[in-house]
Amino acid sequence: MALVWPAMAQDKPRSGGELIFAVPSEPPSYDAHQEETFGVIHPVAPHYNTLLRTDPTDKTGTKPIGDLAESWTISSDQKTYTFKLRHGVKFHDGSDMTSKDVKASYDKILKPPAGVKSLRAAAYGSVESIETPDAHTIVFKLKWPESSFLLNLASPWNFIYKADILSKDPHWYEKNIMGTGPFVFGEHVRGSHWVGKKNPNYWNKGKPYLDSYRALFIKSSSAQVAAVRGERAHIQFRGFTPADRESLVKALGDKITVQESPWDCVLMVAMHHEKKPFDDKRVRRALSLALDRYTASKNLSRIAIVQDVAGIQVPGTPWATPPEELEKLAGYGRDIKAARAEARKLLKEAGVPEGFSFTFKNRGIPQPYEPLGIWLIDQWKQIGLNVKQEIVEASAYYSTLKRGDFETAMDFQCGFIVEPDLDIARFLAASDANYGKHKDKVMDELYLKQARATSPEERRKYLRQFEKRLLDEEVHSIYTLQWHRIIPHSAKVKGWTITPSHYLNQQLDTVWLAQ
């Protein structure tokens, strides 16, 4: 099967048509500042702009470009970011968008009013003040330099709302739409569909290309595949399994295009550091040494949405671990016999007997939790351990992790932009997502050093030290395989580029339909 990548340079966009896509989840509310599901981003993002966005032609999803910002400067001490906003941008009701609206939106995200939650306020702890010296200038002043700040402003969750509306009712956006984006609101029929129509007054002249889009809410994976196979939907933006890809390619031939990418999602093993024998780093290291990740990459990628062997960042992105460095970490070497021999030796030294039994709790979701859980148990059996898997229903799983009601358990990380600050903060001692409950001051210090490093080389140095401490020296967590994103879509869909995040590239302003 040949993979076909977008050929945007060779194709000339045409206007018209309705893009139809399946969405497996429906929005709990319309307010992206308060939500964390793609069920909001996929149908709602085309109505909005953000201050910055990631380059929609970049497959790594790590290059910030202006959206409402036309240009920006950064002070020499990297603590003052000054953005010049585009002129002539209007909300869908015809009113002008100014710096007042950008400030009000960020005020809501950073310091939400009583009764309004913000899931991302903690990510902006470096912000000291936000100033608006004129209608088209906004200035962020930081307490300290922060490497990830610019990219964090490109968050797809940070819709720019209208200040006058927020001042009257900070809850208004939970049930209503009013943005500056390429599409105006059409209708939302709960349980059925969402429609957006082309904004005829969009500030970026010539875009969007589509007349409209229609999101179909379809929960069943087989029904989503059937919709694409039957050409009742052009695409489903989250991802399909390898088997789904094969069936669609077989059924549709050259009518289907397949885009694939590493995915900024990974399943990990949390080991409860306050329970024996997992309080002993020799035991934790043995569990990682037992895993034959490279063979698993070949075999599991045929049946599950996983593929690459990786460290703490997505392969192919700016902060990823070079393969030759990765192989030096415990459990990442190529000699699995030697690794398992070391694992057995460590277990013996730690007083763990042959045939020792423990429980591994797994989340009750088929992909990729089920195949990875079975694989882990088999790998640990290879070093003389007997592991019982206990499946916990999905809705109850996170409360199980938060209570610490486990010996070992499947942990989960999925980011909206590939950026170390966002992806590895969960391993800090104070993090609510540190389910293994390790308290490692060295890790905390290394995190701050990489976050405040002012050169890429310096930051990479601290990231590699952080990674070695996390996965090799202390083995606080065990990474399995990186998720792999597979998007088989109608060959008519042009101008959309896959990234490692299913939250990015959903404004749809660059998308067009071939005849």
Side-chain angles (χ1 to χ4, degrees):
M1 179 191 67
L3 302 184
V4 182
W5 294 95
M8 296 173 65
Q10 290 77 37
D11 295 329
K12 183 179 179 181
R14 63 177 286 272
S15 296
E18 181 176 67
L19 178 75
I20 303 174
F21 54 94
V23 184
S25 176
E26 199 154 358
S29 85
Y30 302 169
D31 185 357
H33 298 178
Q34 300 192 63
E35 303 296 348
E36 56 182 338
T37 170
F38 67 93
V40 173
I41 290 288
H42 288 193
V44 182
H47 299 303
Y48 291 96
N49 290 115
T50 48
L51 181 62
L52 304 178
R53 64 192 292 192
T54 57
D55 183 342
T57 67
D58 170 37
K59 291 198 295 184
T60 72
T62 60
K63 297 179 180 176
I65 63 171
D67 196 10
L68 291 178
E70 191 168 49
S71 64
W72 61 90
T73 58
I74 305 171
S75 64
S76 58
D77 65 0
Q78 301 189 40
K79 292 168 64 177
T80 301
Y81 289 67
T82 302
F83 296 89
K84 294 294 183 182
L85 303 180
R86 299 182 190 279
H87 290 249
V89 178
K90 293 185 180 297
F91 283 97
H92 295 163
D93 64 357
S95 59
D96 291 332
M97 186 284 304
T98 72
S99 58
K100 182 177 73 171
D101 302 299
V102 179
K103 179 175 173 12
S105 300
Y106 271 93
D107 284 345
K108 176 172 176 286
I109 294 168
L110 271 62
K111 298 176 183 176
V116 176
K117 64 181 180 179
S118 170
L119 294 180
R120 298 163 192 93
Y124 299 94
S126 64
V127 177
E128 184 171 62
S129 66
I130 303 175
E131 300 170 2
T132 54
D134 62 55
H136 293 91
T137 304
I138 185 161
V139 181
F140 290 79
K141 292 192 173 179
L142 308 187
K143 300 170 190 170
W144 54 77
E146 189 164 58
S147 300
S148 62
F149 186 68
L150 202 62
L151 196 54
N152 209 0
L153 292 182
S155 166
W157 300 100
N158 293 359
F159 296 169
I160 299 303
Y161 293 150
K162 186 171 176 176
D164 289 348
I165 291 175
L166 291 178
S167 67
K168 294 173 184 173
D169 181 3
H171 293 283
W172 189 86
Y173 276 97
E174 295 169 14
K175 297 181 180 178
N176 301 280
I177 301 291
M178 177 55 66
T180 61
F183 294 89
V184 299
F185 180 69
E187 66 175 1
H188 176 200
V189 178
R190 193 161 286 281
S192 174
H193 63 272
W194 182 295
V195 174
K197 297 182 179 297
K198 182 174 186 172
N199 177 1
N201 302 312
Y202 192 49
W203 56 267
N204 195 350
K205 299 304 178 189
K207 292 182 180 176
Y209 302 118
L210 299 168
D211 286 338
S212 61
Y213 70 88
R214 180 178 296 265
L216 306 177
F217 299 113
I218 304 174
K219 290 184 179 178
S220 162
S221 297
S222 59
Q224 295 160 28
V225 175
V228 175
R229 184 189 296 121
E231 300 184 66
R232 289 177 283 108
H234 296 102
I235 190 169
Q236 187 265 69
F237 287 110
R238 184 172 183 269
F240 283 140
T241 66
D244 295 336
R245 175 191 58 202
E246 302 304 325
S247 72
L248 286 170
V249 169
K250 184 177 180 180
L252 295 175
D254 60 6
K255 290 184 178 179
I256 203 86
T257 294
V258 180
Q259 298 194 50
E260 301 194 20
S261 169
W263 199 343
D264 189 14
C265 292
V266 65
L267 296 186
M268 303 164 291
V269 178
M271 297 160 285
H272 203 308
H273 285 45
E274 296 173 0
K275 294 185 179 179
K276 292 185 179 300
F278 308 103
D279 59 338
D280 190 325
K281 66 181 178 184
R282 293 173 296 185
V283 176
R284 302 194 297 268
R285 185 179 176 92
L287 294 186
S288 187
L289 285 166
L291 306 184
D292 186 353
R293 292 175 168 86
Y294 299 101
T295 300
S297 173
K298 295 176 185 174
N299 296 334
L300 285 172
S301 62
R302 297 172 185 158
I303 61 170
I305 55 171
V306 295
Q307 183 165 297
D308 291 319
V309 179
I312 57 174
Q313 284 282 270
V314 177
T317 57
W319 310 107
T321 321
E324 63 273 16
E325 290 190 40
L326 194 63
E327 291 181 19
K328 297 175 184 174
L329 302 176
Y332 289 83
R334 296 282 180 171
D335 188 343
I336 188 61
K337 287 186 178 178
R340 286 177 176 161
E342 182 185 347
R344 286 179 176 274
K345 179 172 176 285
L346 289 171
L347 290 175
K348 189 174 182 180
E349 288 176 3
V352 176
E354 179 79 17
F356 176 76
S357 298
F358 64 90
T359 299
F360 173 69
K361 291 194 176 181
N362 200 357
R363 192 180 184 193
I365 292 180
Q367 278 290 347
Y369 291 82
E370 184 177 300
L372 277 172
I374 294 170
W375 172 70
L376 285 168
I377 290 169
D378 174 71
Q379 298 291 288
W380 290 330
K381 189 176 181 180
Q382 306 302 316
I383 58 170
L385 299 172
N386 289 319
V387 185
K388 175 189 175 186
Q389 181 174 222
E390 182 179 327
I391 303 296
V392 179
E393 197 271 324
S395 63
Y397 195 68
Y398 277 103
S399 60
T400 299
L401 291 178
K402 290 175 181 175
R403 288 197 311 273
D405 182 19
F406 65 90
E407 294 176 291
T408 63
M410 195 75 92
D411 194 0
F412 169 83
Q413 159 68 26
C414 204
F416 59 85
I417 289 180
V418 181
E419 160 56 45
D421 279 5
L422 306 176
D423 289 337
I424 63 176
R426 62 186 300 109
F427 297 116
L428 302 181
S431 170
D432 289 338
N434 176 0
Y435 301 121
K437 301 185 183 303
H438 65 261
K439 296 178 176 59
D440 191 330
K441 291 182 179 178
V442 174
M443 294 268 295
D444 291 355
E445 290 169 0
L446 286 170
Y447 179 86
L448 288 178
K449 284 180 177 177
Q450 68 79 27
R452 300 180 188 184
T454 55
S455 78
E457 293 75 19
E458 184 183 22
R459 194 177 191 201
R460 284 193 182 88
K461 180 185 74 175
Y462 290 129
L463 282 170
R464 297 288 79 82
Q465 290 177 11
F466 182 97
E467 183 174 63
K468 184 172 177 57
R469 180 106 180 153
L470 175 72
L471 303 180
D472 184 282
E473 294 171 351
E474 297 296 326
V475 196
H476 291 308
S477 179
I478 296 174
Y479 275 49
T480 60
L481 299 174
Q482 200 78 32
W483 286 25
H484 187 71
R485 194 175 176 209
I486 302 170
I487 308 291
H489 62 77
S490 165
K492 293 180 180 178
V493 177
K494 305 288 186 180
W496 180 81
T497 302
I498 194 171
T499 73
S501 169
H502 57 290
Y503 305 114
L504 297 179
N505 282 359
Q506 296 305 137
Q507 280 187 351
L508 306 183
D509 55 327
T510 62
V511 176
W512 54 281
L513 293 174
Q515 286 184 316

